[in-house]
Amino acid sequence: MKKPNILLITSDQQHWNTLGAFNSDIQTPNLDRLVKEGTTFTRSYCPNPTCTPTRASIITGMYPSQHGAWTLGTKLFEDVHTVGEDFHEAGYKSALVGKAHFQPLASTEQYPSLEAYPILQDLDFWREHNGPFYGFDHVELARNHTNEAHVGQHYALWMEAKGCLNWRDYFLPPTGTMDPSLLHKWPIPEEYHYNTWIAERTGALLEQYKDDDQSFFLWSSFFDPHPDYLVPEPWDTMYDPEQLTIPVAAPGEHEQNPPHFQLTQMEKPDFAPWNEGKFQVHGYHSHSALYSEHDRKQLVATYYGMISLMDKYIGQILNKLDELGLADNTIVVFTTDHGHFFGQHGLQAKGGFHYEDLIKIPFIVRYPGNVPAGVTSPAIQSLVDLAPTFLSLCDIPVPHHMTGLDQSQVWCGQKSQVRDHAICEFRHTPTTIHQKTYVDERYKITVYYNQTYGEIFDLHNDPGEICNLWNDPEYQPLKTELLLKYVWAELGKESMPMPRVWHA
């Protein structure tokens, strides 16, 4: 029997509760179709709530503290083993279309980057370069979210090939000429949107694999709904801001939290003690002064519109699988790289705040005849598990150095769980912003490097994570227990690159 194919579909920075099947505020008919035809895992976590570290974990099966791409602005070194190499050795073809973000936007002599200026916008280079790249045989890349000036690479070439010779009109200076004051409605025609590009190029690769009778590992990597909040018409008016439920902070909820939570709610906070270096520190700024109530409602409406537009093109990819007769032998996984705040706890976007809104993610698996259909499962998942699980399901040996767990029996309904916890890391500076979170079936604990403050939340009795139990005298025995479990978890995820083969 032919080995199964893998189709990984990801969004970028999508809150876990933005699937229409579970949230009537939003429409996602194609993702809802996956929910009906597969298993939705309701306790799935990212290994880091930023792009580069988590995306590198997806292809390495290791945590950011292990693979080396520990924060934004770093890179995954090219000599680190990736899952694409394993698929290549097993005779698979592999490809990535869309966002990679394994490397930074700046390139240095010591740390060169293909995703950096100026090569990012050297279209002659990208016209001839489609890989290999981090174990993928073939890549078609872009680097911009919505109208960012980082646009270039294969996406710009595709727009030109489609006749959109004025593509710079839809992107910000200095690359383009779009007015930076335009909000929510992106004037780019939908036919030139990167969702259209990703779906079209994914479909072309699927056709090629079908024609060649070739097993494949294909990652379709969407950019939305990552801010800035822009979407072409009519999706910009699909949701009425006044009809949406907008989350807000609970009064006094940050009084027992570490100091950086409290500072976010001030109009002019001083984050100088955390600024260890010259680069942006995500989330360490005022969140209360970012938007008016009206603006917050509008950005959520736009965020939902971005998701619904993306859902349309995910549907086109799923339809192409059906059209080519590939669906029954293809494992489809939909997820995102990390979550998002749009008002929860008074926060916006992302940063060093390990609430469920940021570290828990949507996660759906479909594999007809193998993964139960129409099921929701509370079995804990981590994106670090994707690589070993994909390999296991394809009957390819899992490298010993991978520290993610093989979830294949859980996905196929043969085991209730293989994890009793997940770990999420966030290290944004060398020492001042360095934290890890351990979360199990009921509790969550977050510890900070060189700090005596922290967080403990009871997710059963306090699912909104309003009451931090860290300093509560009644819960000090629980704190001791959770700290010990966290240490055990850290010990348990250490890499063992080879088995012991002899006495000495």
Side-chain angles (χ1 to χ4, degrees):
M1 182 178 176
K2 188 177 180 182
K3 289 185 177 181
N5 307 305
I6 303 288
L7 175 60
L8 173 62
I9 303 173
T10 58
S11 60
D12 190 351
Q13 198 163 315
Q14 184 175 353
H15 190 276
W16 65 267
N17 192 28
T18 51
L19 301 177
F22 308 104
N23 179 355
S24 60
D25 280 350
I26 190 168
Q27 297 178 39
T28 56
N30 295 292
L31 291 175
D32 295 353
R33 170 186 166 190
L34 281 182
V35 169
K36 292 176 183 176
E37 297 174 350
T39 295
T40 304
F41 291 94
T42 58
R43 296 291 307 281
S44 301
Y45 291 91
C46 64
N48 184 294
T50 55
C51 297
T52 298
T54 277
R55 289 169 178 272
S57 289
I58 288 173
I59 61 170
T60 63
M62 296 189 291
Y63 290 84
S65 56
Q66 298 166 336
H67 59 58
W70 57 277
T71 190
L72 297 172
T74 68
K75 67 181 287 186
L76 180 66
F77 289 119
E78 288 86 349
D79 61 356
V80 176
H81 184 90
T82 66
V83 70
E85 298 172 52
D86 302 306
F87 278 109
H88 180 81
E89 287 296 315
Y92 278 65
K93 291 294 185 183
S94 61
L96 186 156
V97 179
K99 177 175 177 174
H101 204 167
F102 305 139
Q103 299 183 346
L105 283 166
S107 188
T108 69
E109 184 176 349
Q110 186 176 5
Y111 305 110
S113 170
L114 278 182
E115 298 190 61
Y117 289 96
I119 199 170
L120 178 77
Q121 296 176 332
D122 182 349
L123 300 191
D124 287 335
F125 171 84
W126 294 105
R127 193 173 282 109
E128 303 298 327
H129 186 78
N130 288 100
F133 190 62
Y134 288 103
F136 291 100
D137 303 312
H138 180 90
V139 293
E140 299 183 34
L141 304 177
R143 193 61 165 79
N144 57 292
H145 304 102
T146 61
N147 67 340
E148 287 178 339
H150 311 318
V151 62
Q153 296 172 289
H154 298 104
Y155 174 43
L157 289 171
W158 175 83
M159 284 189 285
E160 291 187 356
K162 287 292 181 181
C164 185
L165 302 182
N166 67 324
W167 58 267
R168 293 177 186 271
D169 293 349
Y170 308 120
F171 300 91
L172 294 175
T175 301
T177 59
M178 182 175 163
D179 183 352
S181 68
L182 295 177
L183 303 176
H184 303 294
K185 179 180 177 180
W186 192 7
I188 190 171
E190 186 179 326
E191 63 184 306
Y192 303 128
H193 192 278
Y194 43 53
N195 287 352
T196 311
W197 166 62
I198 292 169
E200 179 182 299
R201 296 306 305 147
T202 296
L205 286 166
L206 291 173
E207 289 178 353
Q208 178 183 322
Y209 298 143
K210 172 67 174 181
D211 291 343
D212 295 342
D213 194 27
Q214 178 67 59
S215 299
F216 60 84
F217 166 50
L218 175 56
W219 184 357
S220 298
S221 181
F222 287 85
F223 298 84
D224 286 353
H226 188 295
D228 284 335
Y229 303 93
L230 285 169
V231 69
E233 60 180 1
W235 307 89
D236 60 315
T237 57
M238 181 174 181
Y239 296 96
D240 180 354
E242 299 306 318
Q243 299 300 314
L244 297 178
T245 303
I246 306 300
V248 296
E253 71 166 284
H254 293 307
E255 291 177 1
Q256 300 301 319
N257 284 344
H260 62 286
F261 288 80
Q262 300 155 27
L263 288 171
T264 64
Q265 304 307 298
M266 298 180 180
E267 195 165 322
K268 295 181 178 180
D270 179 13
F271 279 101
W274 286 269
N275 292 331
E276 188 180 26
K278 61 181 180 179
F279 301 113
Q280 177 187 10
V281 177
H282 277 73
Y284 282 59
H285 52 73
S286 175
H287 289 237
S288 64
L290 279 178
Y291 305 105
S292 67
E293 182 179 358
H294 170 77
D295 289 342
R296 288 196 298 110
K297 289 182 176 181
Q298 180 59 65
L299 71 85
V300 175
T302 306
Y303 185 79
Y304 282 6
M306 295 166 76
I307 294 171
S308 290
L309 173 60
M310 178 180 64
D311 178 84
K312 171 183 173 179
Y313 288 92
I314 290 173
Q316 290 189 6
I317 294 172
L318 297 178
N319 290 341
K320 178 62 72 170
L321 278 179
D322 290 339
E323 174 191 319
L324 296 172
L326 295 171
D328 285 346
N329 197 43
T330 299
I331 301 161
V332 177
V333 172
F334 171 78
T335 187
T336 193
D337 53 1
H338 54 81
H340 179 67
F341 295 114
F342 48 92
Q344 297 90 344
H345 309 283
L347 300 171
Q348 297 290 334
K350 58 192 174 190
F353 320 99
H354 282 185
Y355 291 114
E356 298 288 273
D357 303 284
L358 188 60
I359 70 171
K360 194 167 82 166
I361 51 176
F363 195 98
I364 313 167
V365 181
R366 186 188 76 177
Y367 184 16
N370 295 276
V371 171
V375 170
T376 59
S377 168
I380 295 175
Q381 306 286 313
S382 172
L383 293 180
V384 78
D385 301 334
L386 283 177
T389 306
F390 287 157
L391 293 174
S392 178
L393 286 167
C394 296
D395 198 26
I396 301 171
V398 178
H400 291 290
H401 69 267
M402 288 188 177
T403 52
L405 301 183
D406 175 7
Q407 297 270 5
S408 58
Q409 290 185 295
V410 178
W411 289 9
C412 294
Q414 297 161 358
K415 280 189 176 181
S416 60
Q417 65 175 36
V418 295
R419 279 191 172 278
D420 60 8
H421 70 275
I423 284 184
C424 184
E425 306 176 341
F426 184 73
R427 188 174 190 178
H428 218 37
T429 65
T431 64
T432 58
I433 305 176
H434 185 190
Q435 68 200 67
K436 295 191 181 183
T437 292
Y438 166 95
V439 57
D440 63 19
E441 180 185 354
R442 178 169 180 175
Y443 295 106
K444 173 191 285 184
I445 184 168
T446 301
V447 296
Y448 295 81
Y449 180 59
N450 283 343
Q451 300 294 343
T452 58
Y453 54 66
E455 299 129 52
I456 294 175
F457 292 106
D458 182 342
L459 299 178
H460 283 191
N461 293 333
D462 179 27
E465 299 174 276
I466 304 301
C467 183
N468 181 8
L469 305 174
W470 181 270
N471 290 318
D472 191 319
E474 182 181 348
Y475 289 92
Q476 294 314 293
L478 173 65
K479 179 177 174 180
T480 300
E481 177 185 343
L482 290 175
L483 286 170
L484 184 58
K485 285 184 175 181
Y486 162 68
V487 173
W488 289 342
E490 280 292 326
L491 293 172
K493 73 178 180 67
E494 289 183 1
S495 177
M496 292 190 291
M498 65 171 283
R500 189 178 183 186
V501 297
W502 199 244
H503 301 292

